[in-house]
């Protein structure tokens, strides 16, 4: 990697740094300290070993160089007096991000950093430049490290760990980092925990629990991640908790008074902030093999991002003759210098792309394994003093920062599937659905009971009205008949008296007696009266026989004839009214039985989606309705018993459209049970349905008729009758004219049932059944497409069976008719029924070797490979795998494409 900093002086010497490459100058001179890192990634970090900068690559991480800023400490009181006659050894050029290190009055060396901070830089500016980009990356899910390095007494602890209790503007990076983290996390879904440690004399001690003074380092053998399981973890809820924690840690941190610093830190302080955030992963879009525009997206998954922010306040490097350390302090100084030296060796090895990085030479380098050459985003701030007396230490610090700028990390997000939150969310949703289901079930039960009661009331009311009407008509006919008979008797007696008087006078004049004439008249009247009385009794016994009895009555004059005509007309009206009432009763009973049947279907459907206990209450009202109406019979049996099949089929020819529709619905429901299909066909029901499909243009009638034919087409014998009577042509014409998706679904279902008959394959193609089936795919409705896919699967299965038995040769009719592109396009359809039928159709087509080349050219091979790997059903996966392995053509093509099944 080209160097990102350069050293430029008037003289050259052995340790001079190479100038910055021109191609990277824009990188170094960028005013922003934050590199571009994608905020979202679905990749979880794998191994986290220490890497060299040139080995970090690949698609599983984002390159990120270690960013280095330099900060100059202002002169203190001692330096102002001692160095009053000397200029500062460092000259800053912040606008150019450079600093000059003076060797003498005429020679200097120039270095360039990512940021140069003068002695007047505020704590806020230092945080925003050095630490804020790292904190934002931690909130996005990356690990981050902020570290302060420099000579003792140059302001590392001030920059990093200042609490700022008296002056809030003096707060250091630790306090400001926690403030930003707490402001951007959600207390409900996220968590923040802190560990505060110190590395003293190569021993890791817990600043929050001083008794825990020898914490071991544990490395994951698979990923290389470093952890400290013995450290204290404190969950942070607010800033006050964190401040109290920092005070506790600072009180336990070891410090001493030296000549260079009155409060010199004798240990490396390490603050670890663990952030756990819940996020939703991005949707996985999976393109189709044959159509790049068709795809489906998996819903986003709940994820947990675990990131870690490490803030390291290193102990200052010191020279013993300057610091005056002796005794135990001398041992402390040696330990500090050794650990810093080990860190410098690791930085040198990484900067020079060395094959070996001595990371195990010190516990400090093991703890910072992820910060340099690992997966963390790292910012380093090096602190220097202005005094020329410490030019050597200042030079060493600057060169350390220059080497660190050459180290490049590979940033990765650590994500895990959030099983707990997903389980909790699903439990809440399940409870809500159960409660809503119970409410809907109660409403449904009430509605079914209301409908049943309403239907019962309507049936009872119609029966009462019909009985009252019949009784009124009967009484009316009886009264009219009695009135007519009475009038006829009176008229007859009057005529007899008139004729008797005239005969008496005539006989008297002729000298004859009246005896014989009177006897004959009385006998004739008596005979007539007996006939009339007999007819009256027969009319009272049965109203329907009145017409025939009156027809035998002798003609008694013009008055009697007109009365009989009126009576015949009244009887004809009564017959028509009775027929109309019977039709209405049949319709009402069929509607009620249909509602009962639908309620049973809905109960069974709901029962499959919920527990049996939740829907057990549905049986009670439904059983009551069936018991009260049908005498414990099923709806179909009750319909046969109460109405009669012939009457129902007769209603198919009714002049009333509503009556026809209801009659067809009843026939369709009856045909849904195999036991009734034979009786319907024998009674001419199939012929009547086909006549309705041929004669009527009404969309509702055609839809219901197609559904009834589809039910009848489930029987193999009926399938042949449908074909003989031209049913496939009628269904094809109906499919071409229909626009309603439900009508198309019924027609497609009928043709799909016919496609499953081996004997009808040739007729189906010749009469346009396959083309009609594919033509209905234009609708795009999922229910229609499901029936189309089922028909194609049935047809392909029959073809495969015929080919296996040697009955058929040559390629598939489906391929000849152009069905293959549609099959391949919908092989990965979002709808499970459509996808399952298409997958079966592809497997059956592939079993016939003559179809292999067309399927390869049409893209079906890729779908077969996908089915053999990803199909949710084991039997279909096995069928696809077996078909691919048994076909020589498919095997040769897979070897050419290097596809393994």
């Amino acid at each position: 990697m080209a160097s990102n900093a350069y050293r430029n002086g008037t003289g050259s010497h052995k340790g001079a740094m190479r100038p910055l490459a021109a191609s990277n100058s824009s990188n170094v001179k960028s005013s922003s300290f934050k590199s571009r890192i994608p905020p979202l990634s679905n990749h979880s970090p794998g191994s986290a070993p220490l890497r060299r900068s040139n080995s970090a690559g690949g698609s599983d991480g984002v390159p990120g160089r270690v960013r280095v800023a330099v900060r100059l400490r202002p002169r203190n009181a001692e330096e102002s007096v001692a160095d009053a006659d000397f200029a500062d050894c460092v000259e800053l050029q912040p606008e150019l991000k450079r600093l000059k290190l003076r060797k003498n009055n005429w020679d200097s060396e120039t270095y360039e950093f990512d940021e140069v901070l003068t002695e007047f830089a505020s704590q806020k500016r230092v945080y925003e430049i050095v630490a804020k980009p790292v904190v934002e990356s931690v909130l996005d899910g990356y690990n981050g490290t902020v570290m302060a390095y420099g000579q003792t007494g140059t302001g590392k602890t001030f920059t990093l760990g200042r609490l700022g209790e008296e002056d809030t503007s003096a707060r250091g990076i630790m306090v400001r980092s926690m403030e930003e983290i707490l402001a951007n996390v959600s207390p409900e879904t996220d968590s923040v925990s802190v560990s505060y440690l110190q590395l003293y004399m190569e021993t890791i001690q817990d600043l929050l629990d001083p008794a825990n003074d020898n914490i071991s380092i544990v490395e994951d053998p698979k990923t290389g991640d470093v952890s400290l399981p013995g450290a204290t973890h404190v969950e942070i809820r607010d800033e006050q908790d964190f401040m109290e924690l920092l005070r506790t840690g600072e009180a336990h941190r070891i410090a001493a008074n030296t000549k260079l610093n009155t409060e010199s830190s004798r240990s490396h302080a390490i603050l670890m902030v663990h952030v756990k955030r819940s996020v939703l992963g991005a949707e996985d879009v999976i393109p189709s093999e044959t159509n790049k525009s068709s795809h489906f997206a998996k819903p986003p998954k709940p994820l947990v991002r675990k990131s870690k922010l490490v803030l390291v306040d290193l102990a200052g490097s010191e020279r013993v003759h300057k610091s005056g350390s002796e005794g135990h302090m001398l041992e402390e100084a040696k330990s500090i210098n050794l650990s810093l030296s080990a860190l410098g060796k690791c930085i040198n090895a990484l900067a020079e792309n060395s094959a070996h990085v001595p990371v195990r030479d010190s516990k400090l380098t093991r703890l910072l394994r992820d910060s340099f050459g690992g997966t963390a985003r790292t910012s380093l701030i090096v602190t220097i003093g202005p005094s020329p007396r410490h030019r050597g230490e200042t030079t060493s610090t600057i060169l350390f920062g220059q080497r660190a700028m050459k180290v490049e990390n590979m940033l990765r997000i650590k994500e895990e599937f959030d099983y707990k939150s997903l389980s909790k969310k699903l439990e809440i949703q399940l409870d809500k659905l159960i409660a809503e289901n119970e409410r809907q079930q109660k409403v449904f039960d009430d509605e079914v009971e209301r409908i049943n009661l309403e239907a019962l009331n309507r049936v009872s009311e119609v029966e009462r009205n019909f009985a009252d009407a019949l009784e009124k008509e009967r009484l009316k006919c009886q009264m009219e008949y009695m009135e007519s008979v009475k009038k006829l008797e009176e008229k007859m007696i009057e005529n007899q008296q008139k004729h008797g008087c005239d005969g008496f006078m005539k006989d008297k004049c002729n000298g004859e007696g009246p005896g014989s004439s009177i006897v004959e008249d009385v006998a004739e009247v008596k005979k007539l009266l007996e006939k009339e009385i007999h007819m009256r009794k027969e009319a009272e016994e049965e109203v329907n026989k009145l017409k025939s009895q009156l027809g035998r009555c002798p003609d008694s004059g013009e008055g009697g004839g007109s009365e009989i005509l009126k009576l015949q007309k009244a009887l004809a009206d009564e017959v028509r009214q009775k027929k109309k009432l019977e039709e209405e009763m049949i319709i009402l009973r069929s509607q009620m039985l249909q509602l009962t049947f639908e309620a049973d279907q809905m109960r069974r459907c709901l029962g499959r989606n919920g527990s049996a206990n939740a829907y057990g209450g549905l049986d009670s009202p439904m059983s009551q309705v069936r018991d009260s109406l049908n005498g414990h019979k099923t709806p179909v049996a009750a319909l046969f018993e109460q109405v009669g099949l012939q009457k129902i089929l007769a209603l198919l020819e009714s002049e009333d459209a509503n009556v026809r529709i209801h009659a067809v619905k009843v026939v369709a429901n009856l045909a849904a049970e195999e036991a009734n299909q034979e009786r319907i066909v024998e009674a001419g029901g199939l012929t009547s349905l086909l006549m309705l499909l041929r004669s009527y243009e009404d969309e509702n009638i055609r839809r219901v008729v197609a559904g009834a034919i589809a039910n009848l087409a489930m029987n193999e014998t009926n399938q042949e009758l449908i074909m003989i009577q031209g049913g496939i042509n009628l269904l094809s014409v109906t499919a071409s004219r229909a626009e309603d998706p439900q009508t198309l679904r019924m027609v497609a279902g009928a043709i799909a049932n016919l496609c499953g008959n081996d004997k009808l394959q040739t007729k189906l193609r010749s009469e346009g059944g396959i083309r009609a089936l594919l033509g209905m795919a234009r609708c795009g409705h999922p229910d229609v497409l499901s029936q189309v896919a089922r028909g194609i699967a049935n047809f392909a299965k029959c073809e495969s069976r015929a080919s296996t038995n040697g009955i058929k040769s040559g390629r598939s009719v489906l391929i000849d008719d152009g069905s293959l592109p549609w099959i391949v396009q919908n092989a990965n359809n979002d709808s499970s029924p459509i996808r399952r039928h298409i997958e079966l159709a592809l497997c059956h087509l592939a079993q016939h070797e003559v179809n292999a080349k067309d399927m390869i050219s049409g893209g079906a091979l890729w779908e077969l490979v996908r089915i053999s790997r990803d199909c949710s059903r084991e039997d279909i996966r096995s069928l696809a795998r077996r078909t691919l392995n048994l076909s020589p053509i498919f095997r040769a093509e897979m070897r050419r494409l290097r596809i393994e099944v």
Side-chain angles (χ1 to χ4, degrees):
M1 182 183 74
S3 172
N4 285 335
Y6 68 88
R7 178 179 179 185
N8 189 12
T10 57
S12 61
H13 55 82
K14 185 177 180 181
M17 303 293 290
R18 292 192 302 273
L20 177 69
S23 62
N24 292 336
S25 60
S26 60
N27 248 353
V28 175
K29 293 186 179 182
S30 172
S31 60
S32 174
F33 196 54
K34 180 178 181 180
S35 62
R36 294 183 179 178
I37 298 178
L40 294 176
S41 173
N42 287 332
H43 186 274
S44 298
S47 60
L50 211 55
R51 293 174 177 261
R52 294 176 298 165
S53 59
N54 64 348
S55 65
S59 60
D60 58 348
V62 179
R65 178 175 59 80
V66 174
R67 317 293 288 182
V68 181
V70 61
R71 185 181 193 185
L72 177 64
R73 173 182 59 76
R75 286 191 176 191
N76 54 33
E78 180 184 351
E79 291 171 344
S80 297
V81 175
D83 301 332
D85 297 332
F86 300 93
D88 290 349
C89 67
V90 177
E91 178 185 349
L92 302 184
Q93 296 177 336
E95 65 281 357
L96 299 177
K97 297 183 175 55
R98 296 176 181 171
L99 67 81
K100 288 184 178 181
L101 181 63
R102 294 191 182 93
K103 297 173 62 178
N104 47 48
N105 291 334
W106 57 88
D107 188 11
S108 63
E109 296 170 348
T110 303
Y111 301 92
E112 186 165 321
F113 290 90
D114 293 299
E115 194 67 39
V116 175
L117 302 169
T118 67
E119 64 270 29
F120 305 109
S122 65
Q123 292 281 74
K124 180 179 180 180
R125 184 164 181 265
V126 171
Y127 168 76
E128 291 179 347
I129 290 174
V130 177
K132 186 173 182 179
V134 178
V135 174
E136 291 175 348
S137 297
V138 170
L139 291 171
D140 287 338
Y142 297 91
N143 288 342
T145 302
V146 178
M147 187 168 67
Y149 178 90
Q151 181 189 8
T152 183
T154 54
K156 298 184 298 301
T157 302
F158 177 83
T159 301
L160 210 63
R162 183 79 171 190
L163 298 182
E165 293 178 314
E166 296 83 5
D167 184 4
T168 56
S169 64
R171 290 169 298 164
I173 290 176
M174 288 183 179
V175 178
R176 294 177 186 270
S177 299
M178 184 56 66
E179 288 177 353
E180 182 158 355
I181 290 174
L182 292 175
N184 286 277
V185 297
S186 172
E188 292 79 11
T189 60
D190 305 335
S191 65
V192 179
S193 61
V194 169
S195 297
Y196 200 9
L197 312 167
Q198 69 174 355
L199 179 59
Y200 176 70
M201 300 285 288
E202 282 302 302
T203 302
I204 301 176
Q205 301 176 356
D206 196 335
L207 292 176
L208 303 179
D209 183 10
N212 190 8
D213 57 359
N214 190 10
I215 300 174
S216 59
I217 300 175
V218 177
E219 294 185 15
D220 191 328
K222 294 182 179 180
T223 64
D225 291 341
V226 176
S227 61
L228 302 171
T232 302
H233 289 265
V234 179
E235 189 165 348
I236 302 300
R237 291 295 181 183
D238 52 36
E239 185 182 349
Q240 190 63 33
D241 294 344
F242 180 67
M243 294 295 290
E244 187 63 30
L245 182 143
L246 285 184
R247 292 191 197 98
T248 302
E250 288 298 322
H252 295 145
R253 189 177 178 186
I254 300 173
N257 183 10
T258 67
K259 293 181 179 180
L260 296 178
N261 189 357
T262 57
E263 295 182 1
S264 175
S265 299
R266 312 310 291 171
S267 65
H268 307 297
I270 303 169
L271 179 69
M272 294 184 177
V273 182
H274 300 270
V275 180
K276 184 187 295 184
R277 304 193 72 185
S278 298
V279 297
L280 288 178
E283 294 182 348
D284 297 331
V285 179
I286 303 177
S288 173
E289 292 290 344
T290 57
N291 187 359
K292 296 299 182 183
S293 63
S294 65
H295 60 271
F296 63 92
K298 295 181 179 179
K301 299 181 293 186
L303 302 174
V304 173
R305 286 186 177 161
K306 296 181 180 180
S307 55
K308 178 173 64 176
L309 174 63
V310 181
L311 302 172
V312 184
D313 179 13
L314 294 175
S317 61
E318 61 182 56
R319 295 186 178 179
V320 177
H321 69 278
K322 289 186 178 182
S323 63
S325 298
E326 58 184 12
H328 185 67
M329 290 178 57
L330 178 59
E331 297 299 324
E332 293 175 342
K334 289 179 181 179
S335 177
I336 292 171
N337 290 337
L338 282 174
S339 60
L340 293 177
S341 175
L343 179 61
K345 289 179 182 179
C346 290
I347 297 295
N348 290 341
L350 290 168
E352 296 172 1
N353 298 327
S354 174
H356 172 66
V357 180
V359 69
R360 295 188 175 276
D361 288 356
S362 171
K363 288 187 178 181
L364 177 63
T365 54
R366 292 179 67 189
L367 288 173
L368 299 179
R369 182 173 187 171
D370 195 46
S371 302
F372 292 97
T375 62
R377 180 172 187 175
T378 302
S379 288
L380 172 66
I381 181 167
V382 295
T383 58
I384 58 176
S387 175
R389 291 181 297 158
H390 304 301
R391 182 182 286 108
E393 289 83 348
T394 301
T395 302
S396 176
T397 301
I398 291 173
L399 292 179
F400 178 87
Q402 292 286 288
R403 288 190 294 272
M405 290 177 68
K406 293 184 178 183
V407 178
E408 186 169 344
N409 296 345
M410 184 60 61
L411 312 184
R412 296 188 186 90
I413 291 180
K414 184 175 182 181
E415 291 179 337
E416 296 177 357
F417 191 81
D418 193 359
Y419 293 98
K420 292 184 179 179
S421 65
L422 178 61
S423 176
K424 183 177 180 181
K425 182 179 179 181
L426 291 178
E427 286 179 358
I428 295 174
Q429 291 181 353
L430 180 62
D431 292 339
K432 290 182 179 179
L433 288 175
I434 290 174
E436 181 65 22
N437 201 12
E438 290 179 351
R439 287 192 293 270
Q440 292 182 0
Q441 179 63 30
K442 182 65 169 62
V443 173
F444 175 75
D445 291 343
D446 295 342
E447 183 67 14
V448 169
E449 186 175 359
R450 185 189 65 79
I451 292 173
N452 290 332
L453 290 175
E454 184 178 349
L456 284 172
N457 292 335
R458 289 186 62 184
V459 170
S460 301
E461 183 179 357
V462 170
E463 289 179 346
R464 286 196 303 271
N465 293 338
F466 181 66
D468 294 343
L470 285 178
E471 183 65 22
K472 288 180 181 179
E473 290 297 327
R474 187 181 68 80
L475 294 175
K476 182 178 178 182
C477 291
Q478 288 181 355
M479 295 298 295
E480 289 178 354
Y481 173 73
M482 292 175 66
E483 188 72 22
S484 298
V485 171
K486 185 178 181 181
K487 289 181 179 179
L488 287 173
E489 289 177 349
E490 291 176 354
K491 190 173 182 180
M492 191 178 299
I493 293 172
E494 184 180 351
N495 289 334
Q496 287 294 334
Q497 290 176 354
K498 183 177 179 181
H499 289 304
C501 184
D502 293 339
F504 177 77
M505 294 297 297
K506 184 177 180 180
D507 291 338
K508 188 176 180 181
C509 293
N510 293 332
E512 297 179 355
S516 59
S517 175
I518 292 172
V519 171
E520 291 175 358
D521 290 337
V522 170
E524 185 178 357
V525 170
K526 186 176 180 180
K527 184 178 179 180
L528 290 173
L529 286 174
E530 289 177 354
K531 289 182 179 179
E532 293 296 334
I533 291 171
H534 180 68
M535 292 173 62
R536 177 180 177 182
K537 290 181 179 180
E538 289 180 347
E540 291 176 348
E541 292 176 354
E542 186 175 357
V543 176
N544 291 331
K545 295 181 180 180
L546 185 60
K547 184 177 179 179
S548 60
Q549 293 296 329
L550 289 175
R552 291 181 357 220
C553 184
D555 188 7
S556 301
E558 295 181 357
S562 63
E563 292 295 331
I564 291 173
L565 290 176
K566 289 181 181 180
L567 198 56
Q568 290 177 344
K569 185 177 180 181
L571 287 173
D573 293 339
E574 176 64 24
V575 169
R576 286 195 298 272
Q577 182 68 18
K578 180 180 179 182
K579 183 178 180 181
K580 187 174 181 181
L581 290 174
E582 287 179 349
E583 289 182 354
E584 185 176 358
M585 286 185 64
I586 292 173
I587 292 172
L588 288 175
R589 290 185 178 180
S590 65
Q591 286 178 344
M592 190 187 70
L593 292 170
Q594 175 70 14
L595 289 174
T596 304
F597 180 74
E598 292 176 356
D600 288 338
Q601 293 291 336
M602 187 175 297
R603 175 180 59 79
R604 289 194 292 270
C605 180
L606 291 175
R608 287 194 297 270
N609 296 328
S611 62
N613 293 333
Y615 303 102
L618 186 64
D619 294 335
S620 178
M622 300 309 305
S623 299
Q624 292 174 7
V625 172
R626 288 196 293 268
D627 294 345
S628 60
L629 291 177
N630 304 314
H632 301 282
K633 300 290 184 68
T634 62
V636 176
L639 200 58
F640 274 127
E641 182 178 321
Q642 295 182 12
V643 180
L645 182 60
Q646 292 296 337
K647 289 185 179 180
I648 296 172
L649 295 178
L651 294 179
L652 294 176
E653 302 176 1
S654 174
E655 297 178 357
D656 191 343
N658 291 329
V659 174
R660 287 197 303 273
I661 292 175
H662 287 300
V664 175
K665 287 182 178 180
V666 172
V667 173
N669 287 332
L670 291 173
E673 297 188 16
E674 188 175 358
N676 304 322
Q677 293 178 0
E678 183 178 355
R679 296 176 62 181
I680 293 174
V681 174
E682 289 177 354
L686 177 60
T687 304
S688 300
L689 291 172
L690 292 174
M691 288 295 296
L692 285 174
L693 196 62
R694 182 182 293 109
S695 304
Y696 289 95
E697 297 294 331
D698 185 82
E699 187 76 16
N700 293 328
I701 292 179
R702 289 193 299 184
R703 179 177 65 251
V704 182
V705 169
I709 294 175
N711 288 339
L712 291 175
M714 291 187 293
N715 182 279
E716 185 175 353
T717 304
N718 296 340
Q719 292 172 356
E720 297 178 3
L721 292 175
I722 291 172
M723 295 294 292
I724 291 172
Q725 298 185 28
I728 190 63
N729 285 327
L730 289 175
L731 292 172
S732 301
V733 172
T734 304
S736 63
R737 295 177 179 176
E739 296 294 336
D740 179 47
Q742 296 305 319
T743 303
L744 292 173
R745 180 173 70 88
M746 297 298 182
V747 175
I751 297 178
N753 289 337
L754 296 175
C755 287
N757 193 322
D758 294 326
K759 303 176 183 177
L760 307 180
Q761 298 287 297
T762 305
K763 288 187 178 181
L764 273 170
R765 186 190 183 190
S766 62
E767 297 185 13
I770 300 300
R771 288 191 177 89
L773 192 65
L774 289 174
M776 285 183 281
R778 72 184 186 279
C779 173
H781 194 279
D783 294 340
V784 179
L785 294 180
S786 178
Q787 295 299 326
V788 172
R790 183 171 69 88
I792 290 176
N794 289 342
F795 195 91
K797 184 177 180 180
C798 291
E799 275 194 334
S800 175
R801 204 158 40 223
S803 300
T804 303
N805 296 332
I807 301 174
K808 182 184 181 304
S809 61
R811 69 177 187 173
S812 170
V813 171
L814 294 174
I815 296 178
D816 290 339
D817 285 354
S819 306
L820 186 59
W822 186 87
I823 294 174
V824 174
Q825 182 180 358
N826 289 273
N828 204 7
N829 196 286
D830 291 343
S831 175
S832 177
I834 299 174
R835 185 172 64 253
R836 185 179 68 253
H837 291 312
I838 294 297
E839 288 173 348
L840 282 171
L842 280 173
C843 292
H844 291 311
L845 288 174
Q847 287 180 333
H848 196 26
E849 189 72 11
V850 74
N851 299 329
K853 292 183 179 180
D854 294 295
M855 295 184 71
I856 291 173
S857 61
L861 175 59
W862 295 101
E863 292 301 331
L864 285 169
V865 173
R866 179 192 62 77
I867 293 169
S868 68
R869 295 175 177 174
D870 302 334
C871 181
S872 59
R873 286 183 46 174
E874 177 63 28
D875 55 339
I876 300 179
R877 280 204 313 274
S878 300
L879 180 61
R881 194 178 301 113
R882 185 171 63 253
T883 302
L884 290 173
N885 290 330
L886 292 178
S887 171
I889 297 177
F890 283 142
R891 288 204 308 271
E893 182 67 13
M894 288 191 295
R895 282 196 300 270
R896 187 182 71 82
L897 298 175
R898 298 181 180 178
I899 300 175
E900 295 182 0
V901 178

